[in-house]
Amino acid sequence: MIQIHHLKKTFGRLEVLRGIDLAFDQPGITAVLGPNGSGKSTLLKSILGMVLPDGGQIQFRNKPIDQLGAYRKDISYLPQIARFPENLRVAELIKMIESFRPQVSRSTELIQHFGLESVLQSQLGHLSGGTRQKVNLVLTLMYDTPVIILDEPTAGLDPVALIKLKELIIQARKEGKILLVTTHIMSLVEELADRVVFLLEGRIYFDGKPDSLKERVHEPNLEKAIASLLSGGQLTPLSSNPPSQTRMNGKAIHSILKT
Ligand code: ADP
Ligand code: MG
């Protein structure tokens, strides 16, 4: 469904994505992990065509994405930072978004799911961070699309809302959807992810099952496995063109991380 070849993106002098090769073809949940600033949001926005690459190519259903913006109708996207018109009411915003798309919306079901009935007439500018995030999730998940991209969906959510989000993610997986999710909550990754892609400084250092990541660094829990990756100081990216400095670390580490 999604193929990414040698994707590169530079902001000024900052090389944010340095040759990313990835494919998302199988239904299931992929957690895109990495420290702040490692390029996760830039990667996800590139798939949406919101960030224009400096090199490489992205294909959606075997067609380069720059040819048809229409492919976006098949992707539900939750941006990390959602900006809403502050003086609109929640119900008005949902209605406005629904007026843009002909497909059937399941906003009513999602409003109930997150218990948002009582804030429907509130202005968006008056909502707490967590409630805004729930509205953000309703807007993202109200259409039935084969691909769902969630950039930090857990931000600001209380434990009950987090469970509600998990239920929706699990339901989407059951429906055979492709989900790409970034989050800092490792327990969520541990519980849900079928695949982990670990990014660091714009390169991929691990791509595989969460269990094989844990096994290969001999850490029983994912949080510690990731910490061990970061503190090891001998990481080698999986990309086809590792810089000479990291290549010097040798084949052994490369094979540790490659599944
Ligand atoms: P992550 O989501 O992994 O935290 P991002 O993809 O948001 O990382 O950002 C990666 C790097 O690119 C950061 O250093 C960030 O400051 C920079 N960056 C992202 N977007 C822009 C932009 N539009 N202009 C300039 N720098 C940017
Ligand atoms: Mg981000």
Side-chain angles (χ1 to χ4, degrees):
M1 184 83 86
I2 302 170
Q3 268 93 31
I4 300 172
H5 303 289
H6 310 306
L7 183 68
K8 290 187 178 170
K9 179 64 189 177
T10 309
F11 289 116
R13 274 199 235 144
L14 186 68
E15 287 180 77
V16 177
L17 301 178
R18 306 180 187 208
I20 301 282
D21 291 292
L22 274 176
F24 301 100
D25 291 314
Q26 304 298 323
I29 300 162
T30 301
V32 179
L33 305 180
N36 293 332
S38 52
K40 304 181 296 294
S41 294
T42 304
L43 172 65
L44 300 184
K45 283 189 204 169
S46 304
I47 296 171
L48 272 300
M50 295 165 68
V51 161
L52 299 179
D54 295 306
Q57 209 193 38
I58 301 177
Q59 294 184 319
F60 192 86
R61 295 197 202 275
N62 300 320
K63 288 184 186 132
I65 59 165
D66 48 359
Q67 282 184 1
L68 16 97
Y71 76 96
R72 290 191 197 137
K73 73 171 182 359
D74 285 336
I75 306 179
S76 297
Y77 169 59
L78 178 102
Q80 183 172 2
I81 299 167
R83 298 203 193 284
F84 298 130
E86 303 284 289
N87 55 349
L88 271 192
R89 296 176 197 283
V90 173
E92 289 170 339
L93 177 65
I94 293 172
K95 230 182 198 172
M96 188 178 87
I97 304 289
E98 286 175 339
S99 72
F100 297 149
R101 294 181 70 148
Q103 295 101 317
V104 178
S105 150
R106 54 174 190 138
S107 60
T108 310
E109 179 194 328
L110 289 169
I111 288 163
Q112 266 174 15
H113 187 76
F114 283 113
L116 287 172
E117 297 92 336
S118 60
V119 299
L120 282 177
Q121 296 311 317
S122 303
Q123 291 186 341
L124 287 146
H126 294 170
L127 301 181
S128 72
T131 307
R132 285 171 75 92
Q133 185 69 339
K134 289 181 209 167
V135 172
N136 200 4
L137 283 162
V138 170
L139 295 172
T140 302
L141 298 171
M142 63 191 193
Y143 293 107
D144 182 11
T145 60
V147 178
I148 300 176
I149 296 179
L150 305 175
D151 198 352
E152 308 281 356
T154 54
L157 294 185
D158 60 40
V160 174
L162 195 58
I163 291 170
K164 298 281 179 190
L165 170 65
K166 265 191 247 172
E167 289 169 2
L168 294 173
I169 290 177
I170 290 167
Q171 185 189 338
R173 170 168 56 191
K174 270 192 204 144
E175 290 166 0
K177 299 185 175 188
I178 293 176
L179 291 105
L180 275 58
V181 182
T182 72
T183 180
H184 291 290
I185 302 190
M186 284 307 120
S187 58
L188 190 82
V189 177
E190 192 95 67
E191 213 177 311
L192 297 182
D194 303 300
R195 174 181 172 193
V196 166
V197 170
F198 184 74
L199 265 181
L200 182 66
E201 295 173 357
R203 290 195 179 89
I204 295 171
Y205 284 79
F206 178 86
D207 181 1
K209 289 192 184 354
D211 280 350
S212 57
L213 172 58
K214 290 188 279 187
E215 275 163 28
R216 277 155 208 252
V217 293
H218 305 294
E219 283 290 353
N221 107 9
L222 196 63
E223 202 153 45
K224 288 195 176 148
I226 298 284
S228 149
L229 277 189
L230 286 168
S231 64
Q234 14 172 234
L235 291 168
T236 303
L238 299 182
S239 74
S240 43
N241 282 317
S244 54
Q245 218 182 346
T246 45
R247 203 184 295 142
M248 275 165 51
N249 292 321
K251 255 184 155 179
I253 305 297
H254 189 91
S255 61
I256 284 175
L257 297 176
K258 193 161 189 175
T259 53

